[in-house]
Amino acid sequence: MTGSTAYALYGVFALGAIAMFLLLPQPQRSRPLVGAVAGLAALALLLVVLATRVATADTTVYFYLFAALAIASAARVISHPRPVYSALYFVLTVIAVAALLVLQHAEFLAVALIIIYAGAILVTYLFVIMLAHQGGSAVYDRRAREPLWTVLICFLLMATITTRAAVLPPAASPKGVPVSSSVAAGPAQLDGPPATFGNTAAVGATLMSRYIVAIQMAGVLLLISLVGAIALSRRKVRSDVPPMSARPLGQIGREVQPF
Amino acid sequence: MNMPLDTIKYLGITILLAPLAGAVLAGALGPKILRGRTHWATILGVAAAFVASIMLFQTVRTAPVTARSAQVPIYEWISSASGADIAVEFLVDPLTSIMLLVVTGIALLVVIYSRDYMRHHDHPEPGYERFFAYLGLFVFSMCALVLGGNFILLYLGWEAVGLCSYLLIGFYYGKPAASAAAKKAFLVNRVGDFGFGLGIFLIYVTFGSLEYGPVFDMAARGITATGEALSSERITAIALLLFCGACGKSAQLPLHVWLPDAMEGPSPVSALIHAATMVTAGIYMIARCGAIFAVSPVAMNVVAAVGALTALFAATIALVQTDMKRILAYSTISQLGYMVLGAGVYAADSAVFHLFTHAFFKALLFLGAGSVMHAMGGIIDVRHFSGLRRLLPATFLTFVIGSLALAGFPMLSGFFSKDEIIHHALAAHPILGGMGLLTALLTAFYTFRMVFLAFFGPQRVPEGVHPHESGSWMLVPLFILSIGAIGAGYFGTGVTHKAFHHFLEPVFANTFASRNPHHAASHAAEAAHASFWADYGLMLISGTLAILGILAAYLIYVAQPWLAGLAKATWPAAHRVLWKKYYVDEAYQAGIVDPLRQSGRVCVGLDDYFIDGLVWIVTAVPRGLGYALRFVQSGLLQGYALSMVAGLAVILLWVFW
Amino acid sequence: MIGVSEHILLGAVLFGLGLIGFLSRRNLIVIFLSTEVMFQGVVINAVAFARYHRHLDGQAFALFLLVIAAVEAGLALGMVMLLYRQKQTLDAEDWSSMRG
């Protein structure tokens, strides 16, 4: 990444770190208002940095919109003191990410994301939150542990990954078309199914042809987790009824209904 | 024709292994299976050894005079490339066969005696089986010492008898005095053995071999292993170092201190080990190494002087002791001094002759004292009993016979053997000879002082003791030894044409006899048969001295008992010095034992503070590190995760920057 | 044109935010929720690379990621329920018996 972009990103990340630090729930130091303002500023700056690298056109504005939404709601997921709100903000994050996926022409994945995440996983989370309800915001929700170090280290990690570790393709020439190319709108080209297939069919074809074993393993994994979840959450059943084998046959016959 | 080597080999192996087998059986099967019959294992083992010794003696005696020495290899033990070849081999010659007879014979009588001694009212004492096992082990060790054909086997036997002595002195290990005495014996012997070991090293360095044959041959010819001339300093050094060992084992000045304390052991032990056999190992060694000693006049003078001094020194101490066994112990030291003196004046055959007779009467005296102790319920201090001659008649009779022999009463065995030594000593060093005569007078006096105090006078016994004469198991050995005490001396006199000395002649022919500088002086008078006085003058003088001593003791302790108190009152200081054994023990305590203890304490302090401190400092580093880093282990998942992420960030930074 | 690099940046930011939430929140459920946020970042990344390399492996991978997320959510929440039954609290700092 070129020097100026990198330094600009460092500035953005620094501002974002400060914003996050102020947003995390801490009894004395948290300044949600200041943090929110700083966060939005950081977000805006990020989008500006991105924008200067690419030509404005077509679907890019939607990208920025949904990107901003995803980042903001993710920030709120981790910084909201009440778990229920965290879960709800997470739903928002999922929707934003799904939209981004649609922009990438990965429609099947987007819908699957919404169904599975927002529909199943989040509902499970909400159930558990309700089951473990503590009545109001508990003390452990109001205080984050070691926010300073956490924020510093994680933003350092992010900065390193983005500016250094990820060797990105060269930036676009100003207002020009980026050298990395462009996949035109439309279905991806693959070896196998014909170009007339839609995204869902293409993904399905890929899965069934190249990743068939992985699908089987995924199924087994799901089965195992199902069994595991049941085993984990079983309450010990103390029954006053003696086991079947201990009772005389005649009695068993009278108790056990045929249908 | 030479001696039949095979016969000798098997006889030698029997002599060695039979007592060992008896000991092993006694030790292994005794405690649980044999119990009160354990003595049979040792008796049979030692008896087999004794019979084999007789057969060995016969074999040697019937061989022609020129071929009475044989080196019999048994097996190759250590053979190394650098030339240290050590074999297990026997050297069998007249000296060996006589020593073996003495050792196994006295041992057999002692073992038989012990069967009754180690019992109370016919119940074996606790540790009965252990006793017989140790006795068998001792006989094995002593036979190994005597039979060995090289210095390594000599040293091994030497150490082994030292070990058995320690085990047997400390037999009543629950008694603090006994275990202290055992330790003292072992440590004092260690000092002597250190010198002995150095001597053996020096022999190897000088002569390149450890076998008797080559070493004595080279020493006699005056050359070393490389063929150069043997310097007189070297051979004197070797001889004196070997003599160190003899001082330790045979209780000569200044290493005599362990023998009186060793009387804490049971009386059979004192009789066997500290009278007849182990303590004579030093004399045997000097006799055996005649080739080395005889070529060094300096060493011989030292040996003679030490022997005479020890004899006189111990005799004076014995004058005032009240414990019968202690008196006998000091008398043993004194008689050993005679033997050493004999060896020192080139009369090794007389020394061995005195060893031979001394074994009989000293063992007799110790076993007799044991009989008295048995009857007196364990008390042996003459201040607590007297007038026992009517209560214990058989013991009295045999004890008197032994005492007469010890005192040198004319015509008994001790008279002949002691007389010879004094004769040679007077010819070589008149002063030492004079000391020998004085010692003879004192010996007669203190021996009969002991007899009169214990067996004469009013009958009194310690409280609660019912004295009874000992059983036949104890009395028969006493009688047999009495016969020896009376008659053993005749082997060395004109009656048998000095059979003993002629038998030993081939052993000492090239060594002591041929190099005796006083040869001319002592033999000239004899050869001339100049006068009655020259032939029999010394015998007359020593006989008279013995009788004078006995009469003096009779006068002071029986006829006019108040005289004893008068002597003590007149010279209290002298009495005190003698009673305290010339303060030798106190000197050792102050000069050696206490400083060593002190340095031990210093070392303990060093260890506790300095070394432990160093170790503490070394361990402080990981402890400190752990203390410093303990906070990282908070037990919290997120703390660990944060550390992980931090590490990841650092690594990525490092890699990609 | 929005290329791979922008998507990488977005994915990294989401991942980082999820990491912050995982490391700093004390509520067990919010911790797992934050891991789900991290998953979102990874999904975006995978799909972007799929488009870059012009085949659908990335999308297939993202689907499997979804499966794993579901599995993990189920089991994690089961364990959270067990832990909640032990101490009636969702505080992650209560379970520190491995300290020292």
Side-chain angles (χ1 to χ4, degrees), chain B residues 630 633-642 645, chain C residues 19 22-23 25 31 92-93 95-96 98-100:
Chain B
R630 198 172 297 147
Q633 295 285 334
S634 55
L636 297 168
L637 170 72
Q638 289 162 304
Y640 299 156
L642 185 57
V645 173
Chain C
L19 193 55
F22 179 83
L23 293 177
R25 293 301 298 268
I31 289 176
E93 303 232 321
W95 281 280
S96 60
M98 296 274 281
R99 80 175 311 133

Side-chain angles (χ1 to χ4, degrees), chain B residues 101-390:
Chain B
L101 275 179
V102 169
V103 168
T104 52
I106 305 281
L108 184 60
L109 292 172
V110 165
V111 176
I112 294 175
Y113 176 93
S114 307
R115 183 253 180 220
D116 246 2
Y117 186 79
M118 301 300 287
R119 283 168 192 261
H120 287 298
H121 307 294
D122 219 29
H123 289 297
E125 270 184 26
Y128 187 77
E129 309 83 14
R130 190 162 50 97
F131 185 78
F132 284 97
Y134 288 160
L135 275 186
L137 188 65
F138 171 79
V139 176
F140 162 73
S141 313
M142 191 70 199
C143 291
L145 195 160
V146 168
L147 267 176
N150 55 38
F151 279 97
I152 292 294
L153 288 178
L154 178 69
Y155 193 73
L156 276 179
W158 200 268
E159 296 298 318
V161 296
L163 170 72
C164 294
S165 172
Y166 166 82
L167 290 172
L168 284 164
I169 295 175
F171 182 71
Y172 300 116
Y173 54 79
K175 207 171 145 207
S179 53
K183 266 189 288 184
K184 186 171 179 179
F186 200 82
L187 289 173
V188 174
N189 264 307
R190 208 76 210 91
V191 174
D193 292 350
F194 180 63
F196 193 53
L198 284 180
I200 296 183
F201 292 154
L202 207 51
I203 287 178
Y204 184 70
V205 165
T206 312
F207 298 112
S209 163
L210 286 171
E211 291 180 24
Y212 287 151
V215 169
F216 295 151
D217 187 51
M218 280 192 261
R221 287 191 283 151
I223 58 172
T224 66
T226 50
E228 316 169 335
L230 187 60
S231 72
S232 63
E233 290 86 10
R234 177 65 66 91
I235 198 72
T236 306
I238 293 178
L240 286 177
L241 284 172
L242 291 178
F243 184 58
C244 266
C247 278
K249 196 65 80 182
S250 297
Q252 300 299 297
L253 242 60
L255 296 174
H256 65 286
V257 290
W258 63 273
L259 193 49
D261 284 27
M263 298 299 121
E264 297 286 341
S267 298
V269 169
S270 309
L272 180 61
I273 298 185
H274 306 126
T277 47
M278 185 181 95
V279 293
T280 56
I283 315 298
Y284 165 75
M285 188 270 292
I286 299 178
R288 175 62 71 206
C289 300
I292 295 178
F293 280 90
V295 295
S296 166
V298 174
M300 291 299 270
N301 288 335
V302 169
V303 169
V306 167
L309 209 59
T310 307
L312 188 56
F313 176 85
T316 52
I317 297 181
L319 286 175
V320 301
Q321 301 297 318
T322 57
D323 182 321
M324 272 172 86
K325 285 180 73 173
R326 291 271 192 292
I327 297 176
L328 289 172
Y330 281 107
S331 116
T332 306
I333 299 177
S334 182
Q335 299 303 308
L336 288 169
Y338 266 114
M339 295 179 220
V340 172
L341 171 62
V345 294
Y346 296 88
D349 46 356
S350 308
V352 177
F353 184 50
H354 193 52
L355 189 160
F356 180 69
T357 57
H358 174 265
F360 284 103
F361 56 73
K362 196 44 74 63
L364 171 60
L365 284 171
F366 269 111
L367 293 184
S371 183
V372 169
M373 208 166 154
H374 213 233
M376 292 293 114
I379 298 184
I380 197 67
D381 193 323
V382 295
R383 294 176 287 193
H384 296 130
F385 53 77
S386 62
L388 296 180
R389 63 193 158 120
R390 287 192 222 289

Side-chain angles (χ1 to χ4, degrees), chain B residues 19 76 92 154 178-179 210 246 353 363 375 401 405 422 448 474 524 527 599 626 640:
Chain B
E76 192 71 24
V92 176
L154 178 69
S179 53
L210 286 171
F353 184 50
I401 293 176
I422 299 178
F448 274 87
M474 282 167 72
S599 71
Y640 299 156

Side-chain angles (χ1 to χ4, degrees), chain B residues 17-46 111 127-138:
Chain B
L17 295 184
L20 183 64
V24 167
L25 271 177
L29 302 180
K32 289 280 150 51
I33 302 179
L34 293 173
R35 290 186 203 260
R37 290 179 302 231
T38 317
H39 54 275
W40 286 114
T42 313
I43 289 179
L44 288 174
V46 177
V111 176
Y128 187 77
E129 309 83 14
R130 190 162 50 97
F131 185 78
F132 284 97
Y134 288 160
L135 275 186
L137 188 65
F138 171 79

Side-chain angles (χ1 to χ4, degrees), chain A residues 63-104:
Chain A
F63 170 78
Y64 290 122
L65 181 62
F66 288 116
L69 186 59
I71 293 177
S73 47
R76 211 59 198 120
V77 165
I78 66 176
S79 63
H80 203 287
R82 301 177 62 167
V84 182
Y85 281 86
S86 291
L88 293 174
Y89 273 109
F90 185 67
V91 176
L92 194 52
T93 313
V94 167
I95 293 175
V97 170
L100 285 166
L101 290 181
V102 168
L103 286 173
Q104 296 270 39

